[in-house]
Amino acid sequence: MSVYPKVRFMLSANGIEQFPDDAGSEVAIAGRSNAGKSSAINAITNRKALARTSKTPGQTQLLNFFELDPGRRLVDLPGYGFAKVPPAIKAHWERLVGDYMRSRRSLEGLLLVVDARRGLAQEDADLIEWMLGEGRRAHVLLSKCDKLTRNEARETLRRTERELEGRASAQLFSAVNREGVEEAREALEALLIKNPGDSVNRTTGAD
Ligand SMILES: Nc1nc2c(ncn2[C@@H]2O[C@H](COP(=O)(O)OP(=O)(O)OP(=O)(O)O)[C@@H](O)[C@H]2O)c(=O)[nH]1
Ligand SMILES: [Mg+2]
């Protein structure tokens, strides 16, 4: 069975005025630079090169919008935590992602990609807290788990779940051996379901 048979790249945005219509529901993929966000999008949608991946950190510098099917989108966000980026570019990214997250009413939740070998960083934890504060949900993909032994992977998952204290769910994931791809797709589907109660505390585009 083909997953997301109508999936397509919509556009790359470098500013809020370029975002597509803020209707339907949307899930953003975030995480540190090079964590495996774009690879996760390709694995979940079962496409080889829908999102561009790279060995060079900081590859995704724009917000890339993908339509899964009409009214449902996935957004590849620029990664954070890449030290070699000039301050002016870093400030631009932060403003762009911040503007997006604050104003986007269709944003239902976050898939947070965390390299399983590194575990949750402060920036990851901060992002989860902020999303929850806005009435949104988050799910953590512990990526590149093919690089760990079974035991290391299990221990990383346990530690991450302890650190999350139930605020977000987590799973092991590998775009290479496809472990957890199905589970990640289910998590994405669950995040995309609009929960009217969620938007009560949410900042609106008018703010
Ligand atoms: N072993 C292994 N390598 C992976 C996996 N996922 C991604 N990679 C590799 O990690 C590197 C970065 O992957 P990307 O998907 O481009 O990462 P990204 O988070 O989108 O990176 P930026 O857009 O630069 O922030 C590439 O060399 C990928 O091939 C995985 O599950 N296992
Ligand atoms: Mg990327």
Side-chain angles (χ1 to χ4, degrees):
M1 188 193 73
S2 152
V3 289
Y4 305 120
K6 293 187 206 152
V7 70
R8 66 180 181 102
F9 168 74
M10 294 178 85
L11 56 89
S12 292
N14 194 30
I16 203 161
E17 69 289 346
Q18 295 165 358
F19 296 166
D21 223 20
D22 195 4
S25 55
E26 204 163 275
V27 164
I29 302 224
R32 290 178 71 104
S33 229
N34 208 44
K37 299 175 292 295
S38 301
S39 302
I41 289 181
N42 291 335
I44 290 169
T45 59
N46 207 19
R47 299 297 152 114
K48 278 199 172 61
L50 185 65
R52 219 169 291 159
T53 65
S54 167
K55 282 188 176 36
T56 317
Q59 175 65 25
T60 310
Q61 301 193 8
L62 304 166
L63 272 73
N64 290 315
F65 289 79
F66 299 91
E67 187 180 71
L68 294 166
D69 32 56
R72 302 198 312 156
R73 293 174 303 277
L74 199 50
V75 185
D76 195 3
L77 298 181
Y80 42 82
F82 178 45
K84 286 182 200 147
V85 167
I89 293 184
K90 188 160 175 273
H92 173 72
W93 288 7
E94 281 167 5
R95 198 168 52 244
L96 184 59
V97 173
D99 283 352
Y100 167 74
M101 293 223 175
R102 270 188 297 274
S103 68
R104 198 73 176 158
R105 271 173 283 188
S106 56
L107 177 62
E108 294 299 322
L110 191 67
L111 279 181
L112 185 64
V113 181
V114 175
D115 189 326
R117 295 168 299 178
R118 305 181 69 132
L120 280 181
Q122 189 58 48
E123 285 158 306
D124 301 319
D126 290 348
L127 194 51
I128 291 173
E129 282 313 304
W130 191 79
M131 284 295 282
L132 297 185
E134 295 281 310
R136 294 170 171 134
R137 293 156 290 155
H139 178 74
V140 175
L141 302 183
L142 290 166
S143 66
K144 310 191 187 184
C145 72
D146 55 282
K147 299 268 196 188
L148 299 179
T149 65
R150 265 342 293 160
N151 277 340
E152 286 169 339
R154 253 197 302 270
E155 182 44 43
T156 301
L157 178 59
R158 268 201 293 267
R159 191 181 64 244
T160 305
E161 284 175 336
R162 262 200 312 275
E163 288 168 355
L164 289 170
E165 295 175 317
R167 291 197 289 269
S169 43
Q171 64 159 104
L172 294 168
F173 184 87
S174 168
V176 167
N177 68 16
R178 303 190 63 81
E179 174 173 352
V181 169
E182 200 63 41
E183 191 181 348
R185 200 178 292 134
E186 282 165 19
L188 167 64
E189 285 294 317
L191 289 173
L192 281 166
I193 295 169
K194 264 204 179 305
N195 177 353
D198 278 356
S199 59
V200 171
N201 297 321
R202 193 172 298 169
T203 315
T204 69
D207 290 334

